[in-house]
Amino acid sequence: MSEAPTPPGTTPTTPTTPTTLETAVSGIEVMIFDELEPGMSLPSEGELATTLGVSRLTVREALKVLAARGLVALGKGRRPRVREPDSAVLSGHFSAAIRRDPGALLEFLDVREALEIQAVTLAARHASRSALHAAQSALDGMAEAAADLSTPAQVTRYHRCDVAFHESLALASGNRMLVFLLEGLRESLRQSFERSLEGNALRGRSVQDALTTHRAVLARVRARDAGGAAEAMRECIRDARDDLRAALAPAPRPRP
């Protein structure tokens, strides 16, 4: 049977064949996920080349790709080792985007809203006593630091405890993927919180206002009120959005 003609105005398509490098990367990934555990060593470059039917140079490049993805650790004179899952790659992408364009903080806030509302909804249903204690400890640390933000050390402590508060709520959710994502956003959260604090002051508000919204979130989680916790977190995000808009707004030009 002859092939059907290509319709006018269209370009014939040809199936794509994986490159040798892509084949090597895929083959090593299978070993990482199906045969090995974190901390275990991969076979040597020579053994991998023989197993995969590629050159040692291709294996070396494939391992660099996997190291950039955070899947393997490379060391001079040592065999590649399977890494524990971590969020360093995710963290780097978000932090770089925000450093290049501070306005991206508002888009980042949309991401936070989706993740953190889900986190507190689940936390209200599943939080253990120890998880609630961790959230309370972080909130207490924020309050203690907020009592005097006149020194850089206290400001740093305030933001560190703020990040810990949000991470503790993710842990309280019982969802490992949410924890992974929030941990990956730690540096971006810190950047966001720093600018929010600036905007909070520009709006003529007190840091105590931020503490009030945080306390409301934890109170609803502690009361096992999933809907109330979600709404309290929405309020927290709304305040943060207003603060960021104030911080990112261009400074008014002086009158001539």
Side-chain angles (χ1 to χ4, degrees):
M1 180 183 290
S2 61
E3 294 184 358
T6 303
T10 63
T11 303
T13 58
T14 55
T16 58
T17 303
T19 65
T20 304
L21 176 58
E22 290 170 339
T23 300
V25 169
S26 297
I28 298 172
E29 278 185 333
V30 170
M31 295 181 191
I32 291 171
F33 293 121
D34 295 351
E35 302 172 17
L36 300 172
E37 296 292 334
M40 295 177 66
S41 295
L42 275 75
S44 67
E45 287 183 1
E47 292 170 319
L48 287 171
T50 300
T51 300
L52 299 171
V54 298
S55 69
R56 292 183 63 162
L57 179 60
T58 299
V59 168
R60 198 168 299 135
E61 291 304 310
L63 289 170
K64 289 179 182 178
V65 170
L66 293 167
R69 294 178 185 174
L71 296 178
V72 298
L74 303 179
K76 193 172 183 180
R78 294 183 297 176
R79 289 189 179 190
R81 181 173 48 80
V82 179
R83 289 185 57 177
E84 290 279 356
D86 67 47
S87 48
V89 175
L90 175 69
S91 176
H93 286 314
F94 274 87
S95 294
I98 291 169
R99 289 182 67 181
R100 289 192 182 98
D101 176 18
L105 282 169
L106 289 169
E107 296 175 277
F108 173 62
L109 201 59
D110 293 333
V111 175
R112 275 189 59 199
E113 184 171 19
L115 294 176
E116 296 205 66
I117 287 176
Q118 181 65 10
V120 297
T121 298
L122 293 174
R125 297 170 182 158
H126 306 301
S128 65
R129 185 176 300 177
S130 60
L132 291 172
H133 177 73
Q136 185 64 59
S137 294
L139 189 53
D140 290 344
M142 287 178 66
E144 290 170 7
D148 179 14
L149 293 176
S150 61
T151 66
Q154 284 295 89
V155 173
T156 298
R157 183 189 177 200
Y158 177 82
H159 292 311
R160 185 175 65 248
C161 291
D162 198 356
V163 171
F165 176 78
H166 290 267
E167 287 185 350
S168 68
L169 292 174
L171 281 165
S173 76
N175 186 304
R176 291 177 299 169
M177 293 298 102
L178 277 173
V179 174
F180 185 83
L181 287 168
L182 264 295
E183 286 180 348
L185 300 178
R186 182 179 295 150
E187 178 59 22
S188 300
L189 282 172
R190 184 192 61 76
Q191 292 171 295
S192 178
F193 294 162
E194 287 178 351
R195 298 308 299 271
S196 288
L197 189 61
E198 293 175 20
N200 183 275
L202 289 170
R203 293 172 62 207
R205 287 163 57 85
S206 164
V207 70
Q208 296 301 322
D209 295 320
L211 287 170
T212 297
T213 57
H214 283 62
R215 289 187 180 110
V217 171
L218 184 55
R220 292 299 89 209
V221 170
R222 196 185 296 278
R224 306 297 179 184
D225 178 3
E231 184 52 41
M233 181 56 77
R234 285 191 189 94
E235 182 64 26
C236 191
I237 297 292
R238 278 194 291 266
D239 281 349
R241 184 172 282 109
D242 290 340
D243 289 342
L244 284 173
R245 284 174 176 157
L248 297 171
R253 294 182 179 179
R255 293 183 179 182

